[in-house]
Amino acid sequence: MGETVARDRNGLEVLSYEECLELLGARRVGRIALVNAGSPVIVPVNYVLDGTSVVIRSAPGAKLDGADRSRPVAFEIDEHDPESRTGWSVLVTGLAEPLEEPDEVERFDRELDAWALGDRDDVHLLRVRAESITGRRLDVPAAPRGG
């Protein structure tokens, strides 16, 4: 008999913790969601996985302003195929904190490529310490829509 696949209440495959970490380690761009000045903000970021933490590069602005150690943030990566109507997503929730240890700053500054143009002299690093890492996969294509 084959291995039973865990499914959520919507029929999506629940990814294992190990699968989530593998997907997080294989990508370099995701989105961070946080609250800034009382409003939700979701912005794309480049990142690197460090154990179970996500380290992102940030210029001053919404990401730094919203990265208050007392408020949770969410970080997500995903992939989808519109033709086959399949895909997956991984969600990391936790608290963000500025990365200030000089050796770590130097190491991650080398690892993180800057995609956006602009002044790179005032760049900071944030670490999202994961409190939860979950993932889902839509692995059974939906029936084609009738026309």
Side-chain angles (χ1 to χ4, degrees), residues 12 16 47 54 61 69 82 115 142:
L12 298 176
S16 72
Y47 77 96
V54 174
R69 293 180 184 168
W115 285 31

Side-chain angles (χ1 to χ4, degrees), residues 23 86 112 121:
L23 289 167
T86 59
L112 284 162
D121 292 334

Side-chain angles (χ1 to χ4, degrees), residues 14-78:
V14 177
L15 298 177
S16 72
Y17 185 76
E18 292 76 20
E19 288 174 296
C20 291
L21 288 177
E22 185 177 319
L23 289 167
L24 284 164
R27 300 291 189 271
R28 290 292 176 257
V29 177
R31 289 173 294 284
I32 189 165
L34 44 83
V35 175
N36 184 29
S39 296
V41 178
I42 301 172
V43 291
V45 294
N46 60 320
Y47 77 96
V48 65
L49 184 66
D50 182 41
T52 60
S53 295
V54 174
V55 178
I56 67 170
R57 176 191 306 272
S58 177
K63 290 173 279 196
L64 284 180
D65 295 343
D68 178 331
R69 293 180 184 168
S70 66
R71 290 184 298 202
V73 300
F75 175 82
E76 189 221 18
I77 62 169
D78 59 37

